[in-house]
Amino acid sequence: MKATLTVLGSGTSMGVPTIGCQCAVCKSSDPHDRRTRPSILIEYNGKAVLIDTTPDFREQAIREGMRQLDAVLYTHGHADHVLGLDDVRPLSYHRPNKIPLYARPEVGALLRNMFRYIFDANYKFGGLAQVELHTIDGPVELFGANFVPVKVMHGDAEIIGFRFGKAAYLTDFSSIPEESFAQLHDLDILFLDALRHTPHPTHSTVENSLKIVERVKPKQTFFTHICHDLPHEATNATLPPHVRLSYDGMKLEFEI
Ligand SMILES: [Zn+2]
Ligand SMILES: [Zn+2]
Ligand SMILES: [Zn+2]
């Protein structure tokens, strides 16, 4: 079936502009150079599925006019991917059920600990996010589409991205284990971490991700988790036409 993917945020953990930074990208007037923390929204079959709840979720949801949220999938527990969980509150009311959150066990434990006030729920004045944690250890079927975890290495940590239909979203990784490549065949859309040009212990670079593109051969690739080293327009001018930097608010149609 048809699905729409919206890039809610395309920036690295500190966002771009970065607080206090005076560099050309942080001071750029090009709206593509304004990058909130990394997350995507996938809409299909009348439902809305979110990957990660960033500290910018409130601003992202307002910008995109979000009126509905039916499930959240988590890639890992880093602050830039989870801290906006509380801001799903307005979307979690007036629903027949709680919004399900899907995370691997260690990420679920972290969320439970970080947001104890939500899950312990002994706060008697209302106003808590109506969410329910589900731990996953494999594919999840949501509203007729299959979301398959793809294991990636994020520095020393094994975390996940997701494959769904003809698209895959790998937001934070430094390398992709050999067995995960088998899940990345026949893709129309691939999102890859491409922090900057300079090597980083836990993130991929433009050069490393271009090598992955050559191997996987998706129809289109979009880089994400971008830091302030990469000006949007100038960087795109150096990339092959089927590879682009993603940007906040970018929308794509695909088959899920
Ligand atoms: Zn991150
Ligand atoms: Zn900067
Ligand atoms: Zn991370």
Side-chain angles (χ1 to χ4, degrees):
M1 77 191 106
K2 290 255 170 283
T4 305
L5 185 157
T6 304
V7 175
L8 294 184
S10 57
T12 190
S13 58
M14 289 192 284
V16 181
T18 302
I19 295 173
C21 185
Q22 298 294 306
C23 80
V25 175
C26 286
K27 290 172 76 180
S28 165
S29 57
D30 180 353
H32 299 101
D33 285 327
R34 188 182 164 83
R35 302 172 182 131
T36 58
R37 268 59 73 87
S39 171
I40 58 169
L41 180 70
I42 303 145
E43 293 167 283
Y44 60 96
N45 203 10
K47 301 291 183 183
V49 174
L50 180 66
I51 300 188
D52 294 333
T53 51
T54 83
D56 296 315
F57 176 70
R58 178 179 169 277
E59 186 186 325
Q60 294 167 342
I62 290 169
R63 188 191 71 216
E64 296 301 330
M66 273 183 77
R67 299 179 61 186
Q68 183 186 345
L69 178 61
D70 298 289
V72 183
L73 295 161
Y74 283 100
T75 58
H76 65 307
H78 283 166
D80 53 326
H81 297 258
V82 303
L83 280 186
L85 172 57
D86 197 71
D87 282 326
V88 307
R89 277 189 297 157
L91 297 167
S92 77
Y93 304 145
H94 315 296
R95 295 171 43 89
N97 60 335
K98 294 184 173 187
I99 296 175
L101 314 175
Y102 298 91
R104 291 175 98 195
E106 69 278 14
V107 179
L110 185 144
L111 287 171
R112 190 172 278 285
N113 189 34
M114 213 176 227
F115 294 96
R116 228 167 65 197
Y117 65 96
I118 296 178
F119 298 105
D120 288 353
N122 57 7
Y123 179 71
K124 49 186 177 295
F125 305 105
L128 292 175
Q130 299 299 300
V131 294
E132 192 170 70
L133 202 49
H134 299 263
T135 53
I136 54 168
D137 194 22
V140 199
E141 206 211 300
L142 294 175
F143 322 115
N146 218 15
F147 288 81
V148 184
V150 178
K151 288 177 185 168
V152 293
M153 294 308 296
H154 186 20
D156 286 344
E158 186 193 272
I159 67 150
I160 55 172
F162 291 96
R163 163 103 196 220
F164 36 98
K166 300 283 257 180
Y169 180 71
L170 308 180
T171 168
D172 288 48
F173 69 87
S174 39
S175 66
I176 301 179
E178 199 51 39
E179 75 260 25
S180 294
F181 278 97
Q183 295 172 275
L184 301 175
H185 57 87
D186 195 26
L187 283 169
D188 287 346
I189 294 171
L190 174 60
F191 277 81
L192 292 176
D193 182 341
L195 182 74
R196 61 189 191 191
H197 294 293
T198 320
H200 187 279
T202 63
H203 288 283
S204 186
T205 58
V206 169
E207 290 66 25
N208 183 54
S209 285
L210 283 172
K211 282 187 198 136
I212 295 165
V213 171
E214 266 177 46
R215 175 165 176 192
V216 173
K217 297 190 179 11
K219 283 200 181 120
Q220 284 184 290
T221 301
F222 297 95
F223 289 165
T224 190
H225 218 292
I226 308 161
C227 88
H228 59 172
D229 288 8
L230 304 181
H232 184 80
E233 212 173 304
T235 307
N236 269 345
T238 68
L239 296 173
H242 57 290
V243 181
R244 301 281 92 180
L245 296 188
S246 69
Y247 56 88
D248 288 28
M250 187 179 82
K251 282 183 190 289
L252 300 163
E253 306 282 323
F254 70 104
E255 278 294 315
I256 197 161

